Amino acid sequence: MTGPPVSRTFRSQRLDLHYVDWGGAHLPPLILLHGGNDHCRSWDPLARALSDRFRVIAPDLRGHGDSGWSSDSHYSITAHVFDLLALYEALGLESAPIVAHSFGGFVALRFAGLYPAAVTRLVLLDSASRFDGEAERLAVPVEQRIVTFFEKIRRAGRASPRPYASIGEAAARMQVTNPSLSDDLARHLAEHGSRLGEDGMRRWKFDPSARVRTPVDISPEERRRLRWQVAARVLILDGAQSCGAPGRQPLDFPDASRIVVADAGHWVQHDQPAAVLAAVRDFLAAD
């Protein structure tokens, strides 16, 4: 598919959620899940390249892109998993491979553990790590974590998103976060990741509340149990410059292979698109 994808919507928990469809209804499906503060059009270069073999479906997670914002600031991994299940149901899918980046990988991994038959292959882009800080976070009393969560949600609700005078200015801000972004890609990400307000200024589309970490989730041991229930083969693609983060260790999987991509950071698919595309193509084509 050489043109732009088709925008569509589906319903989940009273939210209208957006996804783009790279056509090819006669082709097998492939799901792409973006990370936090991102959007579905971030996948465009990879999606376009894979649309010759797959019907590529890339949703905007709730609170991101052109999807609705949760009225109760409910952005737990479980909520996103429910949304992914609703997407499968809306599309009539029984199973599909999933490629996911960062937070999207947490969602995909949880989904694959709960519904093993629904995921045929799983590619995790800089997403399959645990951090030593987890134990320290869980050592904080639960009541303190919940109260702190309430305070952060209140602040997020009162916050005024930073305005940008142009797409170029927003793109430049993205390049501060990831200096390896080309001018064209940064502009593309900024164009689809921001919207124009009535005052003529652009602001990011994501809900600030989506950045607040949920205070209560399943335990690390329960996450490991679900991880080991994943039936799909797993490919882990980590950026070499991201692997050295203090306290970071790869997760254990029953059937996984791992590639450390040279000269790539957290945004491994943007930093080394050719290497990621080649690895994903080979992995999805393998018996």
Side-chain angles (χ1 to χ4, degrees):
M1 182 174 179
T2 58
V6 177
S7 290
R8 305 187 190 278
T9 59
F10 68 103
R11 292 280 289 177
S12 178
Q13 296 179 301
R14 302 186 182 91
L15 285 177
D16 288 322
L17 302 182
H18 172 259
Y19 69 95
V20 291
D21 186 341
W22 289 84
H26 61 291
L27 297 173
L30 171 65
I31 308 295
L32 305 181
L33 297 181
H34 67 76
N37 303 347
D38 207 347
H39 52 85
C40 65
R41 299 301 300 272
S42 176
W43 290 112
D44 278 11
L46 185 67
R48 184 176 291 107
L50 292 172
S51 64
D52 62 336
R53 300 186 186 182
F54 297 94
R55 177 190 179 187
V56 182
I57 304 294
D60 279 324
L61 300 181
R62 61 167 56 199
H64 293 77
D66 294 316
S67 283
W69 291 13
S70 176
S71 61
D72 61 357
S73 301
H74 189 197
Y75 293 109
S76 67
I77 294 176
T78 301
H80 289 293
V81 168
F82 189 97
D83 295 341
L84 183 54
L85 180 62
L87 177 63
Y88 266 64
E89 292 172 345
L91 294 172
L93 300 181
E94 293 185 0
S95 63
I98 297 177
V99 178
H101 174 242
S102 192
F103 181 78
F106 303 164
V107 177
L109 189 54
R110 183 78 56 90
F111 180 79
L114 291 169
Y115 301 98
V119 183
T120 57
R121 289 283 193 278
L122 180 58
V123 181
L124 300 173
L125 301 177
D126 218 63
S127 181
S129 299
R130 57 173 171 262
F131 295 87
D132 290 343
E134 177 73 1
E136 182 179 346
R137 188 184 76 86
L138 293 176
V140 176
V142 65
E143 62 271 22
Q144 183 176 337
R145 277 184 278 140
I146 293 174
V147 169
T148 300
F149 170 77
F150 291 163
E151 293 172 351
K152 289 181 177 179
I153 288 294
R154 288 194 183 102
R155 287 201 297 270
R158 294 191 298 264
S160 298
R162 178 178 174 178
Y164 297 90
S166 65
I167 292 175
E169 185 177 307
R173 178 65 183 88
M174 296 197 71
Q175 289 175 305
V176 171
T177 303
N178 185 2
S180 66
L181 286 178
S182 68
D183 290 344
D184 286 345
L185 181 55
R187 186 175 182 84
H188 174 83
L189 297 175
E191 178 183 0
H192 291 285
S194 65
R195 61 170 51 93
L196 189 65
E198 294 180 356
D199 60 355
M201 304 295 284
R202 303 194 72 91
R203 294 171 177 82
W204 301 122
K205 291 180 177 179
F206 64 82
D207 182 354
S209 296
R211 305 176 70 175
V212 182
R213 185 170 184 175
T214 306
V216 179
D217 190 28
I218 63 177
S219 70
E221 182 54 38
E222 288 169 331
R223 289 200 293 272
R224 184 179 187 275
R225 176 183 171 183
L226 286 180
R227 191 162 67 245
W228 278 74
Q229 291 177 186
V230 174
R233 287 182 56 197
V234 178
L235 173 63
I236 300 169
L237 293 175
D238 286 333
Q241 297 168 1
S242 186
C243 293
R248 180 171 178 175
Q249 299 176 356
L251 294 175
D252 54 326
F253 285 90
D255 184 14
S257 55
R258 182 173 182 250
I259 298 174
V260 177
V261 182
D263 298 320
H266 180 59
W267 298 89
V268 57
Q269 71 273 31
H270 294 331
D271 296 345
Q272 294 296 333
V276 169
L277 174 61
V280 170
R281 275 193 182 277
D282 290 346
F283 180 70
L284 295 181
D287 292 335

